C-alpha cells in the first residue's frame, strides 16, 4: 500500500503534465513509425495540425483549465469536505467514478449545447482517427468537467489522488484513439476501446452522439447513449473541415455556428443557436450537423 501511495504522489504531483505530454507525443511518434508499414495513408498534414492545436490550447489552458480549477478544488477540499481521511482502497474507486461521471456529462453537454459544440467540434474536425487527434482541441473545450470535479473535493478526495486518477484516465483517453487496435471482443462491451471510441468520432447517423465515456461504458449504458460497431466508422464532422492551419482550424466550430446563426433574422433565434442542440434550426431546415435528426429540427 505504501508503494501505491508513493506512485499516486508521483503521478498526481508536479510530474503530472510531463507524464501526459510524454504519453501523448510518445504515442504519436510510435504510431507514425508503425504507419510506415502498417498505414501508408497516414495523413501527416492532419497530424501536424492536431499537434499544433494541442500545443496552442494547452498553453492557453494552463491558467483557466488547470491552475484556477485546481485552486478551487483545494479550497473546497480544505474548507468544505464532508469526510476526513478516506482509506485509499475506497478513495481510488470513488475518485475514478467521480472523474468518469464528470467526463461523461461534460462530454454529453458539449455535444448537445450549440455554443459548447462550437468549442468541442474542433476535436471532431479531423477526418482521421489516430493518436494525434487525441488532444486536438479548443482552449474553451471541456471546462465544465472542471466544475463537476468539485464534487469529489466535497466528498473528501485528496487533490493529489484526484489528479493522479485524472492523469491515468487521460492517458487511457490518448490510447483509445489508436488507429492500429482491432476489435477486442467482450472488452468492447465494457471499456471505451479504440473501436468503441472511433464510433464516437464517426459522422454516420447511427453513431452521432454516442459513446461519451472516457474509460468505461458505465454511464453510456446507464443513460442510453451506447452504440456498437457495425458499419466501419467514418471520422470527421458531418460538414467536413479541410483546414490544416492550426491558427484558423481552431475556429471551425465557431464558424459553423455563425453560419447557422446568420440564417436567422430575429435576435431571439440567433441567441437560441447558442443553447439549442447543433442540429436545431429556427426554421426546421437541417444545415450541417443533423443527418440523424433530419426532419426533427424545428423548434
Amino acid at each position: 500500500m505504501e508503494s501505491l501511495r508513493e506512485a499516486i504522489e508521483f503521478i498526481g504531483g508536479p510530474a503530472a503534465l510531463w507524464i501526459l505530454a510524454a504519453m501523448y507525443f510518445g504515442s504519436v511518434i510510435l504510431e507514425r513509425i508503425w504507419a510506415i508499414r502498417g498505414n501508408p495513408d497516414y495523413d501527416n498534414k492532419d497530424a501536424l495540425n492536431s499537434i499544433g492545436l494541442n500545443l496552442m490550447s494547452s498553453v492557453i489552458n494552463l491558467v483557466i483549465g488547470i491552475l484556477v480549477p485546481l485552486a478551487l478544488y483545494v479550497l473546497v477540499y480544505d474548507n468544505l469536505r464532508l469526510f476526513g481521511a478516506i482509506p485509499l482502497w475506497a478513495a481510488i474507486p470513488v475518485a475514478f467514478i467521480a472523474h468518469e461521471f464528470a467526463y461523461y456529462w461534460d462530454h454529453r453537454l458539449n455535444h448537445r449545447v450549440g455554443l459548447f459544440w462550437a468549442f468541442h467540434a474542433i476535436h471532431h474536425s479531423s477526418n482521421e482517427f489516430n493518436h494525434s487527434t487525441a488532444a486536438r482541441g479548443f482552449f474553451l473545450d471541456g471546462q465544465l468537467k472542471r466544475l463537476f470535479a468539485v464534487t469529489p473535493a466535497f466528498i473528501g478526495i485528496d487533490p493529489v489522488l484526484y489528479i493522479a486518477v485524472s492523469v491515468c484516465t487521460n492517458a487511457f483517453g490518448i490510447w483509445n484513439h489508436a488507429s492500429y487496435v482491432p476489435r477486442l471482443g467482450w472488452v468492447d462491451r465494457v471499456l471505451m476501446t479504440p473501436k468503441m471510441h472511433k464510433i464516437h468520432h464517426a459522422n454516420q447517423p447511427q453513431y452521432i452522439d454516442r459513446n461519451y465515456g472516457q474509460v468505461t461504458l458505465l454511464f453510456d449504458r446507464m443513460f442510453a447513449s451506447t452504440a456498437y460497431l457495425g458499419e466501419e466508422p467514418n471520422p470527421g464532422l458531418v460538414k467536413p473541415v479541410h483546414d490544416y492551419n492550426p491558427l484558423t482550424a481552431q475556429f471551425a466550430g465557431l464558424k459553423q455556428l455563425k453560419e447557422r446563426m446568420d440564417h436567422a433574422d430575429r435576435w431571439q433565434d440567433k441567441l437560441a443557436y447558442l443553447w439549442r442542440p447543433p442540429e436545431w434550426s429556427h426554421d426546421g431546415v437541417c444545415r450541417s450537423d443533423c443527418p440523424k435528426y433530419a426532419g426533427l429540427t424545428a423548434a
Side-chain angles (χ1 to χ4, degrees):
M1 187 65 75
E2 189 58 35
S3 59
L4 176 60
R5 195 178 302 277
E6 290 174 358
I8 289 171
E9 291 176 356
F10 173 73
I11 297 172
L17 291 178
W18 294 107
I19 292 171
L20 281 177
M23 176 71 180
Y24 175 66
F25 288 107
S27 297
V28 170
I29 292 169
L30 290 174
E31 186 176 44
R32 184 64 191 91
I33 293 172
W34 166 83
I36 293 173
R37 293 187 61 185
N39 181 15
D41 296 326
Y42 188 95
D43 192 331
N44 291 302
K45 290 193 299 182
D46 184 83
L48 289 172
N49 184 34
S50 293
I51 292 169
L53 287 165
N54 170 33
L55 291 174
M56 285 193 299
S57 65
S58 296
V59 170
I60 299 172
N61 235 336
L62 187 60
V63 174
I64 64 171
I66 297 177
L67 297 181
V68 172
L70 178 59
L72 178 61
Y73 191 105
V74 172
L75 179 67
V76 171
Y77 177 79
D78 286 343
N79 299 281
L80 299 172
R81 69 178 185 266
L82 300 176
F83 303 101
I86 300 177
L88 200 57
W89 61 265
I92 292 175
V94 169
F96 172 76
I97 295 298
H99 187 277
E100 191 79 349
F101 184 81
Y103 185 95
Y104 177 89
W105 280 108
D106 166 80
H107 202 176
R108 185 162 182 162
L109 288 172
N110 284 340
H111 277 252
R112 304 307 300 141
V113 177
L115 181 61
F116 295 159
W117 171 246
F119 300 153
H120 184 64
I122 313 314
H123 181 64
H124 288 260
S125 63
S126 173
N127 301 304
E128 305 294 326
F129 182 79
N130 54 46
H131 284 311
S132 72
T133 64
R136 178 187 182 110
F138 187 63
F139 75 97
L140 290 175
D141 184 25
Q143 300 303 330
L144 288 176
K145 65 175 172 283
R146 274 96 185 190
L147 294 177
F148 293 151
V150 174
T151 301
F154 278 114
I155 296 173
I157 301 299
D158 185 274
V160 173
L161 172 60
Y162 191 75
I163 292 172
V165 168
S166 299
V167 169
C168 292
T169 56
N170 282 314
F172 186 95
I174 293 171
W175 172 78
N176 72 13
H177 287 78
S179 62
Y180 50 84
V181 177
R183 297 191 189 197
L184 297 177
W186 65 266
V187 180
D188 291 333
R189 298 272 172 173
V190 179
L191 299 181
M192 195 60 66
T193 59
K195 284 297 186 185
M196 291 300 288
H197 190 60
K198 189 176 183 180
I199 287 172
H200 177 74
H201 276 256
N203 53 28
Q204 292 104 311
Q206 70 271 29
Y207 293 149
I208 291 175
D209 294 339
R210 291 288 182 257
N211 298 6
Y212 293 114
Q214 185 174 35
V215 177
T216 73
L217 290 169
L218 174 63
F219 293 111
D220 283 294
R221 285 176 174 273
M222 188 176 296
F223 298 109
S225 56
T226 309
Y228 296 103
L229 193 63
E231 178 186 3
E232 180 63 25
N234 181 41
L237 296 174
V238 171
K239 187 177 182 180
V241 173
H242 301 283
D243 187 345
Y244 298 108
N245 183 348
L247 294 175
T248 53
Q250 64 180 315
F251 300 112
L254 289 170
K255 288 178 181 177
Q256 291 192 3
L257 174 62
K258 182 179 181 301
E259 288 172 3
R260 294 195 292 273
M261 294 175 70
D262 285 345
H263 282 90
D265 295 322
R266 301 193 314 154
W267 66 267
Q268 297 97 322
D269 291 330
K270 290 181 182 292
L271 291 179
Y273 279 97
L274 300 178
W275 60 271
R276 291 277 195 169
E279 73 276 2
W280 179 84
S281 69
H282 68 288
D283 54 6
V285 177
C286 175
R287 293 193 168 89
S288 63
D289 298 316
C290 46
K292 178 179 177 180
Y293 304 98
L296 301 175
T297 60

